Structures are given as C-alpha cells and as structure tokens.
C-alpha cells in the first residue's frame, strides 16, 4: 500500500499538531495521544475514498523491440471508470 500525498500531509500535520499541543498546554498532554488516533482515522478515510484498482483501465502502446541508442515512444493511457 502506498499512501496518497494527501495522507502524507495529514500525517505530518497530525504530528506537528501533537507537538504544538504538548508545548502550549503541557497539562493536557493526554490529548496529544488523540492526535495520532485522529491522524490514523483520517488516513483510513483517505484510503477508503481512493479509487479502486479494478476501476482503473491501463492501455500500453510499446514498440516490440528497442535497441540501445534508439529512441522510441511509449504511450500509456490511464482511464478511471
């Protein structure tokens, strides 16, 4: 599984929010534990909202043989159905 860029940003913001919360309100450090849980929930929701693999149609138009030093065109078409 590879996370989406949105999930990576959410995870980074979650960690930063946790550190900020502990620095600003040290007495409420326990709330800092809820930030990673909320981040995991957000990443899980992001994964569920991503398109499914069976909805993706891939067409590849590649040359049969490519020799060293030659330039050829490789066409890849991705369609989300």
């Amino acid at each position: 599984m590879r996370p989406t860029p949105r999930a990576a940003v959410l995870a980074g913001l979650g960690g930063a929010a946790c550190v900020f919360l502990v620095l600003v309100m040290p007495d409420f450090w326990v709330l800092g534990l809820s930030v990673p849980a909320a981040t995991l929930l957000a990443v899980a929701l992001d994964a569920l909202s991503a398109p499914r693999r069976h909805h993706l149609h891939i067409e590849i138009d590649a040359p049969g043989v490519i020799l060293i030093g030659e330039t050829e065109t490789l066409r890849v078409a991705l369609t989300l159905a």
Side-chain angles (χ1 to χ4, degrees):
M1 179 175 133
R2 184 175 292 169
T4 64
R6 180 175 42 191
V9 169
L10 287 172
L13 290 175
C18 185
V19 170
F20 178 76
L21 183 65
V22 169
L23 290 175
V24 173
M25 299 183 295
D27 293 336
F28 295 101
W29 65 268
V30 175
L31 292 177
L33 299 177
S34 66
V35 174
T39 301
L40 285 175
L41 178 64
V43 169
L45 291 174
D46 181 54
L48 290 174
S49 69
R52 301 290 178 243
R53 182 175 288 179
H54 64 273
H55 290 195
L56 182 64
H57 181 69
I58 303 171
E59 292 180 33
I60 300 174
D61 182 22
V65 175
I66 301 176
L67 300 176
I68 296 175
E70 290 185 354
T71 56
E72 293 287 341
T73 302
L74 172 68
R75 287 180 174 63
V76 179
L78 304 173
T79 308
L80 194 57

